[in-house]
Amino acid sequence: TQGGSPATYAAMVRSLDSAVGRIVKAIDDANAGANTVIIFTSDNGGERYSDNGIYKEGKMSLWEGGIREPAFVRWTGKIRPNSITNQVTSTFDWTATILALAGANQDRSFPMDGMNIMPVLLGKSKEVERTLYWRIFQRSDHKAIRDGKWKWLKDEKQNEYLFDIINDPTEKNNLKDKYPAIFLRLKNKFAQWEKTVLPPLPL
């Protein structure tokens, strides 16, 4: 949308924070915390008025500022308070996680892309490396893949990058010339994945 300001954005976030607080309080007042899993997350990185800290760019890009986001999950008596996980997670993992929590039988004829991350959150399983793919074309033509600690990115200017996203989350050091084999492996892996999905719809 047009317009807006940092002050307006701050008021909106403050209102959201207050509303979430009221929901959590209502759950606690009803002594329902042990039977209620609260998931708070976003579908993309920060908006134009957000403070993304060390992360580059924001929403509608595939730099870390556009795809990295915090999330919290609360399950009273199950998930240890103030615990932190670095498990790489995507929005579609919440579908698999919620279905598993509900005891739903997954339709094997319609496999899901996501994984149930609750065992990791409960400390019953170790963090696992993931391979995730992104592409965006609405405002900027970006493509990216994260494979373990490595990330390949192609931006709207057709520039290509390789980052060690664990040791360089700021994406300052392009390592494509230093590690050409890894660069080509990720680029080719993305190309193979893209053959398996539909082409983007024209806007």
Side-chain angles (χ1 to χ4, degrees), residues 75-117:
W75 190 1
T76 304
K78 298 286 188 178
I79 298 176
R80 184 167 55 86
N82 302 314
S83 57
I84 296 174
T85 178
N86 291 312
Q87 176 61 59
V88 175
T89 304
S90 187
T91 305
F92 46 62
D93 293 325
W94 299 121
T95 304
T97 301
I98 292 168
L99 287 174
L101 285 168
N105 292 322
Q106 183 181 338
D107 184 354
R108 298 298 175 183
S109 66
F110 187 74
M112 290 182 291
D113 294 320
M115 63 175 274
N116 175 16
I117 64 167

Side-chain angles (χ1 to χ4, degrees), residues 12-83:
M12 292 171 65
V13 173
R14 192 158 49 243
S15 176
L16 172 65
D17 186 58
S18 176
V20 172
R22 291 197 299 273
I23 293 171
V24 173
K25 184 177 185 301
I27 291 169
D28 289 345
D29 289 346
N31 294 315
N35 296 318
T36 306
V37 178
I38 300 171
I39 301 171
F40 186 90
T41 186
S42 175
D43 62 345
N44 48 250
E47 268 282 5
R48 57 181 165 170
Y49 296 121
S50 303
D51 180 358
N52 282 341
I54 65 172
Y55 304 117
K56 188 173 181 179
E57 298 292 337
K59 180 180 178 179
M60 304 305 289
S61 84
L62 295 184
W63 296 93
E64 287 299 284
I67 57 177
R68 188 184 290 238
E69 67 210 34
F72 72 73
V73 182
R74 195 190 80 156
W75 190 1
T76 304
K78 298 286 188 178
I79 298 176
R80 184 167 55 86
N82 302 314
S83 57

